[in-house]
Amino acid sequence: MKKAAILTFHRALNYGAKYQAFALLSAINQYCDGYILDYRCEQIEKFYYDKAGMKGKCKNILKWMLFPKYMKDLKCRKKRFQNFDFFYKYSKTFIPPNINEADREFDVFIAGSDQIWNPILTGNDLNFFLPFCKEEKRNAYAASLGKAKLTEFNVDNMNELLRNFKTITVREVSMIEPIKCLVPEVNPLPVCDPVFLLEASEWETRLHLEKTISKEKYIFIYIVAPQTYAIDKAQQIAKHNGWNIKYIDMGRTRCEGIEAVNDAGPIEFLNLMLNAELVITTSFHALALSMIFHKPVQFELSKEKINANARLVDLATRVNMMKYEITTVDNVIYDDYEWERIDNVIAEMRNDATDLLLKMIGK
């Protein structure tokens, strides 16, 4: 059986990063012996784990003094993120000086998904373009630039790196033209995010998610991009219907009548979503998973000039759900989600993606 390695942001303390890595690995393991390549990108490690130094320690102590509850929640959340790694199957650990050794251990390499081609996030780490392995082993699945551009990489041979891939698939349609302009002979294909490779029942079974019967009805809010109307709208809907609000954000936002759940790890996040009456979000992965779980969802796009709206718009347009974009504050909720039609679109996306994965691993 072929051995395949996935190179992605598996150590990022980020919900979407954890979910996409888990889903892609689960899908790959249906056809070959799949592993998460335990590669330690220096920039990622520094951002999430390296808080050393006197300045960093002093800042951390100050945060504990000022925000003890929030910091305790973050400590718990980090532990839960690390526990989620038990759902992965790992290779041995690689760092930049010895990453070339991985070529001897695997038959296929798949870079992606996530913003692995964002030079700001990776610190210009070109290993995410797989130069350390033979060209016939190089594949990209749903690679993303995020808000960045290929021209931001400080390298002259970017076209050569892209040209040497066996297969390139990207997450955002907007990436196709820039790649083709840089390397006309390359034919990048759009593909769905890995979370769509698993059906709702697979998510629930593999991760032991819990559907609960409770008298408490609530709206689940998850904010990653700056919001304008989302929180106010959630409060209007909650007040009108007598619901509560549970809120995860990446800051220390405090809103009256809203329960902050900042200790939630990846499992707790999905359970909150699974048992909510409504999901309100600015997150692509929260939108995607709401679709998979048939959860009523409303989403808001960022109003910032430089934003990551492309992937939300691509997805919502593909499944004809742009009407659920939040553009004002009201108490309107919808009961017209066409889940069967949406499921059919997702199934088509999944089938197309599976065909491409089979091509990558040589099945």
Side-chain angles (χ1 to χ4, degrees):
M1 180 179 288
K2 286 188 175 181
K3 291 181 67 176
I6 299 167
L7 177 57
T8 188
F9 291 164
H10 65 286
R11 283 173 56 78
L13 303 179
N14 175 281
Y15 297 106
K18 291 295 186 185
Y19 299 142
Q20 61 84 19
F22 168 76
L24 184 55
L25 179 62
S26 298
I28 288 291
N29 272 324
Q30 296 180 48
Y31 308 106
C32 64
D33 188 16
Y35 294 80
I36 295 292
L37 192 70
D38 191 17
Y39 174 65
R40 306 299 174 92
C41 169
E42 294 177 358
Q43 183 81 353
I44 296 292
E45 294 298 303
K46 181 178 179 181
F47 183 81
Y48 286 105
Y49 299 97
D50 184 10
K51 306 297 182 183
M54 185 58 67
K55 185 177 180 180
K57 290 179 180 178
C58 290
K59 186 181 292 186
N60 200 47
I61 291 171
L62 183 60
K63 286 181 180 178
W64 273 97
M65 292 173 62
L66 295 174
F67 313 106
K69 172 65 167 62
Y70 179 75
M71 294 301 290
K72 185 178 179 181
D73 286 347
L74 288 192
K75 184 177 180 180
C76 178
R77 181 163 74 188
K78 183 176 180 179
K79 180 65 176 176
R80 286 170 166 172
F81 265 92
Q82 292 170 334
N83 289 341
F84 189 81
D85 290 352
F86 289 114
F87 291 103
Y88 297 151
K89 184 166 62 170
Y90 280 115
S91 72
K92 71 178 186 182
T93 299
F94 294 96
I95 57 178
N98 75 343
I99 187 62
N100 289 340
E101 298 173 10
D103 189 34
R104 296 196 297 267
E105 298 194 19
F106 295 96
D107 305 299
V108 179
F109 290 86
I110 298 174
S113 178
D114 220 330
Q115 297 180 46
I116 57 163
W117 289 350
N118 185 330
I120 300 170
L121 298 183
T122 66
N124 254 297
D125 190 336
L126 299 182
N127 282 320
F128 287 98
F129 291 90
L130 307 178
F132 56 84
C133 67
K134 296 181 180 66
E135 294 176 13
E136 63 269 20
K137 296 182 181 182
R138 302 181 195 180
N139 302 275
Y141 183 89
S144 175
L145 284 162
K147 300 177 185 179
K149 300 177 181 179
L150 285 171
T151 51
E152 292 180 45
F153 275 97
N154 184 25
V155 61
D156 295 328
N157 62 336
M158 180 54 60
N159 57 349
E160 182 180 346
L161 288 170
L162 291 169
R163 188 184 300 114
N164 289 334
F165 271 83
K166 174 186 171 186
T167 307
I168 293 180
T169 63
V170 294
R171 192 171 64 185
E172 287 89 33
V173 175
S174 57
M175 283 181 61
I176 294 176
E177 194 57 34
I179 291 177
K180 289 187 70 67
C181 286
L182 186 63
V183 194
E185 61 268 38
V186 170
N187 183 35
L189 300 171
V191 70
C192 65
D193 187 276
V195 297
F196 289 112
L197 297 174
L198 301 183
E199 298 182 16
S201 59
E202 293 177 288
W203 282 101
E204 293 170 24
T205 301
R206 292 170 188 254
L207 296 180
H208 314 294
L209 303 182
E210 299 177 355
K211 287 183 177 179
T212 60
I213 300 175
S214 173
K215 292 181 180 180
E216 180 189 23
K217 294 187 176 183
Y218 63 88
I219 299 170
F220 175 47
I221 304 179
Y222 179 51
I223 302 297
V224 291
Q227 61 83 40
T228 304
Y229 308 114
I231 293 175
D232 288 342
K233 173 149 186 154
Q235 290 176 314
Q236 289 289 331
I237 294 173
K239 181 179 180 180
H240 183 76
N241 292 279
W243 296 347
N244 296 323
I245 298 175
K246 297 182 184 291
Y247 180 26
I248 295 177
D249 76 340
M250 304 312 291
R252 295 185 294 272
T253 305
R254 292 184 179 182
C255 298
E256 186 177 351
I258 294 179
E259 178 187 354
V261 196
N262 286 321
D263 62 347
I267 301 296
E268 292 76 20
F269 181 104
L270 291 178
N271 280 330
L272 282 168
M273 173 179 287
L274 197 61
N275 294 288
E277 300 299 314
L278 171 68
V279 176
I280 287 182
T281 190
T282 61
S283 158
F284 169 84
H285 281 109
L287 174 62
L289 288 159
S290 295
M291 294 177 184
I292 293 169
F293 290 129
H294 291 185
K295 280 291 149 185
V297 60
Q298 296 185 35
F299 64 96
E300 183 175 0
L301 299 177
S302 171
K303 305 301 186 295
E304 293 183 309
K305 185 175 182 180
I306 300 176
N307 56 64
N309 289 339
R311 56 180 176 162
L312 281 87
V313 173
D314 284 351
L315 175 58
T317 301
R318 176 78 184 264
V319 297
N320 193 25
M321 288 182 64
M322 282 302 297
K323 70 173 287 185
Y324 306 116
E325 179 192 355
I326 297 170
T327 57
T328 187
V329 176
D330 55 41
N331 61 14
V332 175
I333 57 176
Y334 298 90
D335 59 2
D336 59 351
Y337 293 87
E338 301 176 50
W339 295 123
E340 184 176 356
R341 180 188 58 76
I342 292 168
D343 282 345
N344 289 336
V345 176
I346 292 175
E348 181 182 345
M349 292 162 51
R350 183 184 301 120
N351 290 337
D352 290 344
T354 299
D355 289 342
L356 287 167
L357 280 176
L358 290 173
K359 178 183 176 183
M360 290 179 190
I361 62 179
K363 286 285 185 178

